[in-house]
Amino acid sequence: MQCECNVVVRLEEGLHARPAAQVAKLAKRYAAAVEIAKGERVANAKSTVQLMLLAVKEGEAILIRADGDDAETAVAGLADLVSGGAGAPQDRPAAAPVAAPPPAAAPPTDGALHGVPASPGVALGPAFVLLPEHVAPPEHAVPPAAAEAEFDRFTAAAARVAAMLDEAMARLDGNSAGDRSEREVLQALQDLAGDVELADGVRTAIHGGQNAARATLHVGAELAGRLAAMDDAYLRARAEDMQGVTRRIADTLMGVAETGLHQIAEPSVLVAADLSALDFARLPSGRLLGLVTTGGSASSHVAIIARSLGIPAVVGIAADPPALRGVRRIAVDGGQGRVLLDPDADAEQAFRLRIAQAAADRERLAQFVRIEPRTRGGRLIEVAANIGGPQDVPAALANGAWGVGLFRTEFLFMRGRAVPDEAAQAACYAEVLRACAPHPVVIRTADIGGDKPLPGLGIETESNPFLGWRGIRLCLDRHDIFKPQLRALLRAATAGRLRIMFPMVADESEIHAARALLRAAEAELREERITFGTPEVGIMVETPAAALCAGTLARHVDFFSIGTNDLTQYVMAADRTNRRLAHLQRADHPAVLRAIELTCQAARDAGIWVGVCGEAAGDPALIPVLLRLGVTELSMSPPLIPQAKKLVTEQD
């Protein structure tokens, strides 16, 4: 039986290491042969390496194809996973960010070594230097008659490495963001150790006469080289994972002892050459103050784990191993990429003061989680969270969110093979409303189109999708999608304080049409004797047209919420996905601020409230500006909320 399905990838990192490992793991559960194609390139879906080499990014379309008795089940399961369904890796809490830090600053002039800032923060302590020399693999050849037995040795060694990773995962309690991030990394490494591409390559090399250790390193280097040649920095960093895993398998084959990380007896700053994520995961708990490596990148899994655990780290420092082996104490500035070897008394004192200040800052911010966000003048500012579904609510509430300022419902639509039905939507919305009560929840109707296409809707390829059939424009043309969502929202409104928000509004007629459909949904529910609530209704101000005509639009809505991401894009005529135009992606540009000011003035005149739910809402430099302009609600990523609340209390 054959089956295939086109689907848009909705995983945050595309099919990079961890998501690719999840896909491969699921594909292996099916007996069917499963392939994933991107254009003319095809990969075995049961191979993490082949999937990574496809270089599939979020938002790109792929074809999932299966052949076998359970082909239909396999395609459905994988389509749900890559489109962000229930089995998909969840978005990492922003409290444990994994995005690469900003580029390194100019080299210091104080004698410090300089490297790549990999994880922010400062650390000071004794140095634990781990710079072992790798053992060269044996050179003896393997005769054809012994090839399969030699391959069995490789299989056993790979299994032992996988077991080490299992042991490392078993030590994690899984409750913290750091543990969850580390577990994802370890699972991805475990999948590499058992990857079919690696195993097939090693088998071929062994049958060509190489011994298992040499074959493992040879194939590992080849696969790492292919990854290192990718355009994407994150994928290039996965070459380090491949080298680390295959080096550990080869060392196991050669009987080389594990690295001496277990010897760290006191909290220390670890200095290493190219520490692997497997080595990192086996560190004694709580004994790592900071990390310095001569190799690596900010996108390496070691750097990702360090950031998730809040461990200051600098990678890629230029230093010879002999100069490092004699170091006794070390100071690390992970934010600036600076490393001081054996710092003098003055430098140590300066670092101690910075460490104490950072601890005090964290403690002070924690106090703002539960406070009521009011300015000095007594004005209440609702500091809320942006979410993509019920799974994001716990992190929002834990950071002190006053409800939800933006629930992006389109992610619910993109998770399955079909649009969720009315009952499923109503249950989901009600769950969020109950969890956030008594605070309000702003639920945006589906913002489909633009950079968020939905398979199966017949959306034609547009030369400029950001200016095309998206948001309210699409919904007003597709009542089969819009009407059930409005009915679901009305039904859920009995569970809490619901605010419905229409996206991408550019004209007064769109508000009238959407409200008419909402009234029709109310009439249907009333006739069907289904209980429903009466929510507030507002719009996103994200088009220049909405900002310029805000005075007219304000007469027909209960609130405005300014989407600064798209508003900036449209005002500046600069595609926000184009990295070359990043310098124009400025919500603090006078033109963008003028659009915000016009919107706030119109809201004041009409007696309605106005919020901001774009990146600017969590920007410490912009929060005072937004409050002065008249914004009364700010919605942002949950970890930014405590600092935003602090800034609110400091404003007049």
Side-chain angles (χ1 to χ4, degrees):
M1 178 180 180
Q2 293 182 331
C3 183
E4 63 181 39
C5 173
N6 286 291
V7 64
V8 174
V9 175
R10 289 298 167 198
L11 301 179
E12 182 183 0
E13 299 168 345
L15 293 188
H16 288 173
R18 280 159 287 174
Q22 292 281 347
V23 171
K25 182 178 180 180
L26 178 59
K28 290 173 185 175
R29 296 179 186 173
Y30 304 110
V34 189
E35 294 179 334
I36 290 180
K38 174 188 171 184
E40 296 182 355
R41 299 171 61 192
V42 180
N44 179 351
K46 299 180 181 181
S47 168
T48 299
V49 175
Q50 288 191 28
L51 290 174
M52 286 193 294
L53 289 170
L54 280 180
V56 177
K57 294 181 172 59
E58 181 183 9
E60 292 186 331
I62 59 172
L63 173 68
I64 304 174
R65 184 167 50 221
D67 188 356
D69 292 340
D70 56 356
E72 187 172 352
T73 305
V75 168
L78 290 171
D80 182 62
L81 176 63
V82 301
S83 62
Q90 297 298 325
D91 285 352
R92 205 167 287 101
V98 297
T109 58
D110 57 1
L113 297 176
H114 191 266
V116 178
S119 179
V122 290
L124 172 69
F128 186 92
V129 182
L130 183 68
L131 296 169
E133 295 183 2
H134 288 307
V135 176
E139 296 185 2
H140 68 268
V142 174
E148 277 306 303
E150 186 71 357
F151 179 69
D152 288 342
R153 288 185 63 238
F154 162 80
T155 302
R160 283 198 291 276
V161 171
M164 291 179 195
L165 290 160
D166 260 335
E167 292 171 8
M169 283 187 280
R171 292 198 296 270
L172 304 173
D173 61 25
N175 293 326
S176 70
D179 279 353
R180 290 193 295 273
S181 180
E182 190 170 354
R183 181 180 295 277
E184 290 176 0
V185 169
L186 294 177
Q187 287 175 336
L189 295 178
Q190 190 178 61
D191 206 70
L192 286 182
D195 191 80
V196 295
E197 181 84 349
L198 173 63
D200 288 348
V202 170
R203 183 194 289 271
T204 299
I206 289 175
H207 278 275
Q210 294 186 32
N211 60 68
R214 183 168 290 276
T216 299
L217 292 175
H218 171 77
V219 175
E222 180 184 351
L223 293 174
R226 290 168 64 187
L227 288 168
M230 305 294 285
D231 290 336
D232 188 280
Y234 187 90
L235 284 172
R236 289 198 300 271
R238 303 292 67 79
E240 300 171 29
D241 298 332
M242 178 57 69
Q243 289 174 326
V245 167
T246 51
R247 166 53 66 179
R248 186 62 252 163
I249 294 173
D251 284 348
T252 301
L253 284 163
M254 295 184 290
V256 176
E258 294 181 53
T259 54
L261 296 174
H262 62 282
Q263 299 173 3
I264 300 180
E266 62 178 334
S268 305
V269 176
L270 176 62
V271 181
D274 53 357
L275 192 70
S276 72
L278 173 56
D279 293 331
F280 196 114
R282 296 171 70 80
L283 280 164
S285 178
R287 296 184 193 169
L288 193 62
L289 298 174
L291 174 66
V292 177
T293 66
T294 58
S297 70
S299 299
S300 70
H301 271 151
V302 168
I304 289 171
I305 295 175
R307 289 195 291 275
S308 72
L309 297 176
I311 297 171
V314 177
V315 300
I317 65 166
D320 294 327
L324 294 173
R325 287 193 173 98
V327 174
R328 299 177 63 83
R329 289 183 65 77
I330 192 164
V332 180
D333 184 333
Q336 296 185 14
R338 296 172 60 247
V339 176
L340 286 170
L341 307 180
D342 290 320
D344 59 27
D346 289 342
E348 284 218 11
Q349 181 61 19
F351 266 81
R352 287 195 188 97
L353 289 174
R354 292 182 63 190
I355 292 169
Q357 183 62 51
D361 288 344
R362 287 193 298 272
E363 186 175 345
R364 277 195 296 272
L365 280 181
Q367 298 172 3
F368 288 90
V369 168
R370 301 302 170 199
I371 69 154
E372 186 177 69
R374 287 188 181 273
T375 64
R376 290 170 179 166
R379 185 162 54 118
L380 176 65
I381 305 297
E382 293 180 4
V383 181
N386 297 339
I387 68 169
Q391 73 279 357
D392 299 330
V393 173
L397 297 179
N399 281 282
W402 274 48
V404 170
L406 174 61
F407 181 165
R408 303 179 177 96
T409 60
E410 57 273 7
F411 292 126
L412 301 178
F413 287 59
M414 294 173 179
R415 285 178 178 169
R417 301 177 70 187
V419 173
D421 62 25
E422 178 184 320
Q425 289 187 61
C428 175
Y429 305 149
E431 180 182 352
V432 174
L433 283 160
R434 280 192 295 268
C436 294
H439 300 303
V441 174
V442 179
I443 300 183
R444 181 175 70 187
T445 56
D447 188 13
I448 301 165
D451 59 338
K452 299 184 285 286
L454 183 63
L457 287 189
I459 301 177
E460 297 179 359
T461 300
E462 297 177 299
S463 59
N464 200 334
F466 277 110
L467 301 180
W469 196 47
R470 58 169 294 198
I472 195 67
R473 303 167 180 178
L474 184 149
C475 286
L476 289 175
D477 286 344
R478 293 294 301 265
H479 289 192
D480 57 319
I481 295 171
F482 198 27
K483 186 72 147 316
Q485 182 173 35
L486 294 177
R487 285 174 54 99
L489 287 166
L490 290 168
R491 290 170 58 181
T494 59
R497 293 176 58 192
L498 173 62
R499 296 167 171 172
I500 296 176
M501 179 165 66
F502 302 130
M504 199 59 187
V505 169
D507 187 78
E508 181 182 357
S509 64
E510 293 166 335
I511 300 176
H512 294 318
R515 275 194 172 277
L517 204 60
L518 186 64
R519 288 193 297 271
E522 289 175 342
E524 290 176 0
L525 293 172
R526 190 177 296 111
E527 185 176 344
E528 296 167 22
R529 300 183 181 232
I530 297 175
T531 305
F532 64 91
T534 305
E536 293 181 45
V537 176
I539 64 169
M540 283 193 80
V541 176
E542 52 191 333
T543 66
L548 291 170
C549 296
T552 300
L553 303 182
R555 296 197 294 265
H556 308 291
V557 295
D558 300 311
F559 67 90
F560 286 152
S561 184
I562 303 171
T564 53
N565 298 347
D566 268 338
L567 182 61
T568 301
Q569 167 177 249
Y570 295 133
V571 168
M572 302 303 295
D575 183 348
R576 61 188 172 96
T577 66
N578 190 328
R579 294 181 181 179
R580 291 182 179 178
L581 303 179
H583 64 289
L584 295 175
Q585 305 302 319
R586 290 178 46 207
D588 63 345
H589 190 281
V592 180
L593 292 178
R594 178 58 177 152
I596 295 173
E597 183 180 20
L598 288 172
T599 304
C600 290
Q601 182 61 54
R604 276 195 301 274
D605 293 344
I608 65 174
W609 64 268
V610 58
V612 173
C613 60
E615 295 287 338
D619 186 338
L622 275 174
I623 288 174
V625 177
L626 296 174
L627 297 188
R628 285 197 299 273
L629 291 175
V631 170
T632 58
E633 187 243 29
L634 300 166
S635 189
M636 63 202 68
S637 297
L640 302 177
I641 290 171
Q643 181 166 352
K645 292 171 83 172
K646 175 179 180 292
L647 288 168
V648 166
T649 65
E650 295 170 349
Q651 306 308 306
D652 294 328

